[in-house]
Amino acid sequence: MENFFSRYKNPLVLMLVLFIQVVGLATQVKRAESAKNAAGAGSGGGPRLIRVWTVSIITPFEKAFTSTGHFFRGTWHNYIDLHDARKENRDLQEQLARMKMEQIRLREESAATARLQNLLDFKQRYIGQTVAAQVIGTSGADQSRVIYIDKGSHSGIKVDMPVITPDGIVGKVKEVFKFTSQVLLVNDHDSGAGVVLQNSRLQGVLSGTPQGQLVVTRVMSDEKIDIGERVVTTGHDGIYPKGVPVGVVTKSVPDVENDPFLRITIKPAANLDKLEEVLVVTSIAEESPSSTAGTGPQRAADILAQRLPSAKQEDKPGDQGATATPTPAASPAVTPRPKPVAPPQGTGTPGTGAPATATPRTAVPVTKPQGTAATGTATPATSGTGAPGTAASATASPAIKKSPDQKKPASTGMPTGTPVPGSTPKAPSATGSPSPNSTTSKTGATSTKGTAPSANPAGAKLSGASTKVGVAGTKVGEAGTKSGAAAEKKKGPPKPKATPTPAATDAAPAETPETKKPEPDATPTPPPTGESLLP
Amino acid sequence: MNIGVSLTSREEIEVHRFSWPVSLLFPILALLIQSYLPLKMGFLRIFDLPLLVTIFFAVARRRPVPGMITGALIGTLQDALTHHPLGIFGIAKTIIGYLASSLGVKVDVDNPGSRFLMTFAFFIIHHIAYMVIDLGLVGASEPWQWGHTLIQALANGFLAVALFAVLDRFKLRN
């Protein structure tokens, strides 16, 4: 026996070492699956400890290298390269003048859009807070496209926070250590994000390939895709904020693995192979758009473009913070909707911006269909199909659907017409019978994709509206879809009518006395996002 | 100094030793460079410095057990920098460490030609082992890219010739 062990010592040791590693690997895979099922995240125990040790050994050197490189580059730019500064200053001033003119025009357009969205009660997901970080390293492996940044839990970074640059989306935080974090790039094989093609409004799923390319899948093959079309995030995935650039379409071919779908190759907007500075979005605010010009919501990329050059200054605690004041509702007729307060940035407590997501929807006034509501019937003329891209369902179902949250008694805030909880939504418009409160409304006119004209602006969960205005109504739309589907089931097959039924046009006016449009010259309501992000 | 059955013209096979600082420093340095340089030059991702260091130490020591332990440790550290479970690189490099040290006992691996061929072959074996573990144990679905793997193997083979020549200077002579 002893002879056996001494003779086969090396193979036996090999088997033992391999066995230990295989068991360890299997344990981690099993644990990861359990955590996924339990909606947990991260690896714990031994593997976590090994990662912490390794990162603690490697990243200080990487930080030192990065700092040294920045020092020399900064020295060059600050002292030696100054001879171009005057010319550059002149060019920048000219550019600034042009941009100011452009800004005036965009501000007007933005205000108009915000007014429309406010009418439709859209909830938008904005970037609430960001933390600027330097990229200090990579995994070094071709099979794992991750980067390391020099900010960790000490700076308020948490797992699953989105990481972006002014150019576009970068990835999400995968692991967090005290002073560093691991970011999984969007072009990794394991990545995923919800995206929409900017012009055609086609939605798909963004993922990476083993070669490090970005592809969009789950787009039907009968759709026409234009090369060069821009792709932005939808905000539907619960990770990335809405409207962040992803890239442009470079190729579109049928997906051989998923037959009815296309495989659209994207050139990333951000240079994922050469990242230096990134922004970690530590909170995403969910907010109804302001109707006031100039203080309306700003696009993520616009905000970021202002922020990144001054990343070092803004990173200091207190510098980033700008508390947005709670804003009254835009319309005096609308029940006051407490707006969230964006917490100061750099406090290291991301997620405190969460109140922004908690805009009480119960305060949203809904249509006042007095006759029906008094009998416990759900508010008519509130379509539930809010999912963008579901224009077909909206077109085929002019019947009125109701989203579940609109059944809440508190949501009306009206003495009359309090719906009975659990009341079955009616679909009176399917029959075309006019409502007692019928007047005409053109709210549905905002929809352009063959959507049935909306019945109720307050019940903004219209698929057509969602499609038109964008994908802002993320959660609202989803909820609306479900309720819409439920209502459709109850009322049977939809009538093939694309034109507004009398009842569909009824309900909107019914609310006009109660829920007025926000006035254009209402008190400025600075959104927390924009305020807190502006330098 | 060990004497083994050899396919080389030399009758004696040298077993090289390394100082502790070198044994610790070079694997960490390899990981550090491997992690940092692709940030500046993305194409450098095709190199696998930890694998080359594993091969070098295993071949130079010519003892399978230290060779596989070296491979296991370097591979596990490399795993720790990725987002994958720990052990994929660890197992692959354990196998490479064992094979390289076993080969080093029998074959002359000190001339550049044999170093190139050896690294080329080990890179492909390492990649096969990685893919088998990734597909079989982790359940990933990465497609096989032969062309890319061959280019990587060639590049690593050439780099190994230069790198091993540098690392030879740190061998302790009796």
Side-chain angles (χ1 to χ4, degrees), chain B residues 54-96:
Chain B
T54 302
I55 294 172
F56 176 79
F57 279 113
V59 165
R61 285 174 176 145
R62 293 192 167 93
R63 288 190 297 165
V65 173
M68 73 175 83
I69 298 292
T70 304
L73 288 177
I74 293 177
T76 305
L77 291 179
Q78 196 178 2
D79 277 321
L81 291 175
T82 70
H83 70 287
H84 295 147
L86 299 186
I88 306 179
F89 278 121
I91 294 172
K93 284 189 169 58
T94 302
I95 295 169
I96 295 299

Side-chain angles (χ1 to χ4, degrees), chain A residues 223-302:
Chain A
E223 302 286 357
K224 185 179 178 299
I225 309 297
D226 294 327
I227 303 299
E229 185 170 358
R230 292 182 60 185
V231 181
V232 297
T233 53
T234 61
H236 285 188
D237 48 30
I239 301 280
Y240 298 102
K242 175 184 171 289
V244 181
V246 173
V248 293
V249 175
T250 56
K251 196 169 72 173
S252 173
V253 294
D255 194 343
V256 288
E257 293 171 7
N258 301 298
D259 191 21
F261 298 107
L262 288 173
R263 183 182 172 88
I264 304 167
T265 308
I266 305 292
K267 182 188 175 194
N271 187 356
L272 299 175
D273 286 331
K274 220 170 183 180
L275 291 164
E276 291 189 352
E277 288 176 321
V278 293
L279 291 170
V280 184
V281 182
T282 52
S283 83
I284 296 177
E286 189 172 302
E287 176 69 3
S288 296
S290 165
S291 63
T292 309
T295 56
Q298 298 183 29
R299 289 180 59 226
D302 298 337

Side-chain angles (χ1 to χ4, degrees), chain A residues 10 14 21 25 28 51 54 61-62 65 135-136 138-140 142-144 148 182 188-190 210-211 274, chain B residues 34-36 39 45 64-65 68 77 79-86 90-91 94 130 141 143 145 148 152:
Chain A
N10 292 337
L14 175 67
Q21 292 187 84
L25 187 61
Q28 291 170 72
R51 281 189 204 280
T54 309
F61 293 104
E62 291 177 332
F65 289 160
V135 180
I136 56 171
T138 70
S139 73
D142 221 7
Q143 296 87 351
S144 173
Y148 283 87
Q182 188 191 64
D188 186 86
H189 192 50
D190 296 336
Q211 297 84 22
K274 220 170 183 180
Chain B
Q34 183 73 36
S35 169
Y36 183 73
L39 200 62
R45 213 186 289 263
V65 173
M68 73 175 83
L77 291 179
D79 277 321
L81 291 175
T82 70
H83 70 287
H84 295 147
L86 299 186
I91 294 172
T94 302
Y130 181 93
S141 58
Q145 306 169 63
H148 188 61
Q152 280 185 302

Side-chain angles (χ1 to χ4, degrees), chain A residues 210-504:
Chain A
Q211 297 84 22
Q213 289 181 319
L214 278 178
V215 292
V216 175
T217 54
R218 304 289 166 190
V219 175
M220 295 301 287
S221 58
D222 55 353
E223 302 286 357
K224 185 179 178 299
I225 309 297
D226 294 327
I227 303 299
E229 185 170 358
R230 292 182 60 185
V231 181
V232 297
T233 53
T234 61
H236 285 188
D237 48 30
I239 301 280
Y240 298 102
K242 175 184 171 289
V244 181
V246 173
V248 293
V249 175
T250 56
K251 196 169 72 173
S252 173
V253 294
D255 194 343
V256 288
E257 293 171 7
N258 301 298
D259 191 21
F261 298 107
L262 288 173
R263 183 182 172 88
I264 304 167
T265 308
I266 305 292
K267 182 188 175 194
N271 187 356
L272 299 175
D273 286 331
K274 220 170 183 180
L275 291 164
E276 291 189 352
E277 288 176 321
V278 293
L279 291 170
V280 184
V281 182
T282 52
S283 83
I284 296 177
E286 189 172 302
E287 176 69 3
S288 296
S290 165
S291 63
T292 309
T295 56
Q298 298 183 29
R299 289 180 59 226
D302 298 337
I303 296 164
L304 293 173
Q306 297 171 26
R307 271 183 62 80
L308 204 56
S310 57
K312 283 188 177 175
Q313 287 79 13
E314 289 162 358
D315 197 31
K316 293 173 189 169
D319 280 354
Q320 298 170 345
T323 307
T325 51
T327 56
S331 168
V334 175
T335 309
R337 194 179 309 174
K339 302 263 174 128
V341 177
Q345 286 188 330
T347 54
T349 54
T352 50
T357 61
T359 305
R361 290 166 57 190
T362 52
V364 178
V366 296
T367 315
K368 184 191 170 192
Q370 292 171 350
T372 51
T375 57
T377 314
T379 307
T382 50
S383 169
T385 28
T390 54
S393 64
T395 313
S397 56
I400 299 160
K401 297 166 204 153
K402 174 133 180 57
S403 66
D405 49 328
Q406 285 181 306
K407 292 178 197 170
K408 294 173 187 172
S411 68
T412 61
M414 297 175 187
T416 58
T418 307
V420 175
S423 62
T424 310
K426 266 185 158 183
S429 65
T431 60
S433 60
S435 155
N437 299 320
S438 73
T439 48
T440 52
S441 170
K442 292 292 181 187
T443 313
T446 54
S447 133
T448 55
K449 284 195 171 253
T451 311
S454 154
N456 185 4
K461 296 126 186 113
L462 296 172
S463 69
S466 300
T467 312
K468 159 69 179 169
V469 182
V471 285
T474 311
K475 291 178 180 174
V476 181
E478 285 165 6
T481 309
K482 284 175 190 169
S483 65
E488 202 153 5
K489 274 184 189 174
K490 284 174 187 170
K491 76 180 172 61
K495 311 263 168 133
K497 285 171 77 176
T499 53
T501 60

